[in-house]
Amino acid sequence: MDKSPEIALTQMRKSVQELGSSTEKHGDPTLMRFLIARSMDPSKAAKMFVQWQKWRAQLVPLGFIPDSEVPDELESRKIYLQGLSKGGHPLMIVKASNHFPSKDQLQFKKFVVHLLDKTIASSFKGREIGNEKLVAILDLQQITYKNIDARALITGFQFLQAYYPERLAKCFLLSMPWFFVSVWRLVSRFLEKATLEKIVIVSNEEEKEEFIREIGEEALPEEYGGRAKVVVLQDVILTPVDDSLNSTS
């Protein structure tokens, strides 16, 4: 569509109102993410936005998921939150060898929200702008068949696509073993083209060097070629911001 961003934003706000909701608490950068995700189509973006609002109200009524609601997932210490990449995006690392399929799917879904909200919020400078993105690393080193969980990966990526549009800057897959290739093929079927284009499978030394250059040694832990120490998600304490996490998406 050849509409200017200003016209598209105005039409989207109007469409959201017509759907019985409001954009009052959300700035242009937030709405623009939904527009980009729906090819600048105001009515499709409005529908996506309202679905996101309803989803947040149902799954995240407090506006955030406290640690106390995801104790089993935090106990595994499988997520690291490493500060900002060279491009200014918060860096989240998933240590897949510490993950085991969850027996409590609702808690797992809440955990996905918890880790995405916290990762995005870690880049706020006083308040949320609305266009912050994250960089993710899926570290598959030393995984066994017990760690394989296609459903968890599909849930995570589907949440990103449906409820966190344009929040993913890039996702790197490291040390993929041969037995995971078929799992990844299955997961890939559920990913939109725009998501697949942001995923990089690092498979040789040249790609690893580029991966280190792109993220930067300051944020990257030593075991991945950087200079930082690993920081487990629950050890990161965030400063309260002006805006409620209700607007995180």
Side-chain angles (χ1 to χ4, degrees):
M1 286 193 159
D2 294 329
K3 286 182 179 145
S4 74
E6 292 79 11
I7 292 171
L9 282 164
T10 300
Q11 291 183 343
M12 180 185 168
R13 288 184 187 277
K14 188 180 176 186
S15 294
V16 169
Q17 280 187 321
E18 289 170 354
L19 290 168
S21 193
S22 169
T23 59
E24 192 181 338
K25 294 180 181 177
H26 306 281
D28 289 352
T30 295
L31 302 186
M32 186 55 70
R33 288 189 293 101
F34 287 86
L35 278 164
I36 292 168
R38 289 296 176 264
S39 305
M40 300 303 288
D41 184 314
S43 67
K44 288 181 180 177
K47 187 178 178 184
M48 185 187 194
F49 179 82
V50 172
Q51 286 172 339
W52 162 68
Q53 286 182 312
K54 289 176 180 174
W55 171 81
R56 287 288 299 189
Q58 185 177 0
L59 190 65
V60 200
L62 297 175
F64 68 101
I65 302 287
D67 289 15
S68 59
E69 288 190 24
V70 289
D72 300 338
E73 297 295 332
L74 287 171
E75 192 180 356
S76 63
R77 300 175 71 83
K78 59 191 169 191
I79 307 291
Y80 305 147
L81 187 49
Q82 293 297 139
L84 302 182
S85 70
K86 196 186 284 184
H89 307 304
L91 175 63
M92 175 187 75
I93 301 174
V94 181
K95 190 79 171 170
S97 59
N98 289 353
H99 172 81
F100 299 93
S102 177
K103 293 171 183 164
D104 183 346
Q105 280 302 305
L106 178 58
Q107 184 179 154
F108 179 74
K109 287 176 180 177
K110 287 185 175 185
F111 182 64
V112 173
V113 173
H114 174 83
L115 71 90
L116 290 175
D117 280 4
K118 191 167 183 179
T119 300
I120 293 162
S122 71
S123 70
F124 295 168
K125 296 176 176 66
R127 65 185 189 92
E128 179 181 1
I129 302 300
N131 59 359
E132 297 87 352
K133 295 177 184 279
L134 63 92
V135 172
I137 296 172
L138 178 57
D139 177 10
L140 299 163
Q141 195 169 358
Q142 295 181 324
I143 65 166
T144 67
Y145 287 104
K146 288 180 180 177
N147 304 119
I148 289 178
D149 191 357
R151 180 156 74 162
L153 277 170
I154 291 165
T155 297
F157 279 111
Q158 285 186 328
F159 273 27
L160 272 168
Q161 290 177 164
Y163 307 123
Y164 295 80
E166 294 299 307
R167 284 298 201 187
L168 182 65
K170 199 164 266 190
C171 176
F172 295 92
L173 271 58
L174 306 184
S175 308
M176 185 186 290
W178 62 269
F179 59 83
F180 193 82
V181 173
S182 58
V183 179
W184 182 247
R185 279 201 196 111
L186 169 65
V187 172
S188 297
R189 290 180 196 163
F190 292 85
L191 305 188
E192 296 166 2
K193 184 170 176 281
T195 303
L196 285 168
E197 287 172 351
K198 295 171 184 173
I199 294 169
V200 178
I201 298 173
V202 179
S203 54
N204 58 45
E205 276 305 309
E206 188 180 338
E207 289 170 353
K208 187 179 179 184
E209 286 173 13
E210 176 57 32
F211 153 76
I212 294 170
R213 266 197 307 273
E214 189 165 335
I215 289 181
E217 294 180 9
E218 295 298 318
L220 205 56
E222 292 169 354
E223 63 187 277
Y224 303 105
R227 296 199 296 266
K229 303 292 182 187
V230 294
V231 184
V232 183
L233 180 69
Q234 54 265 48
D235 290 347
V236 175
I237 308 298
L238 299 182
T239 310
V241 295
D242 293 341
D243 298 327
S244 163
L245 268 179
N246 268 319
S247 57
T248 301
S249 52

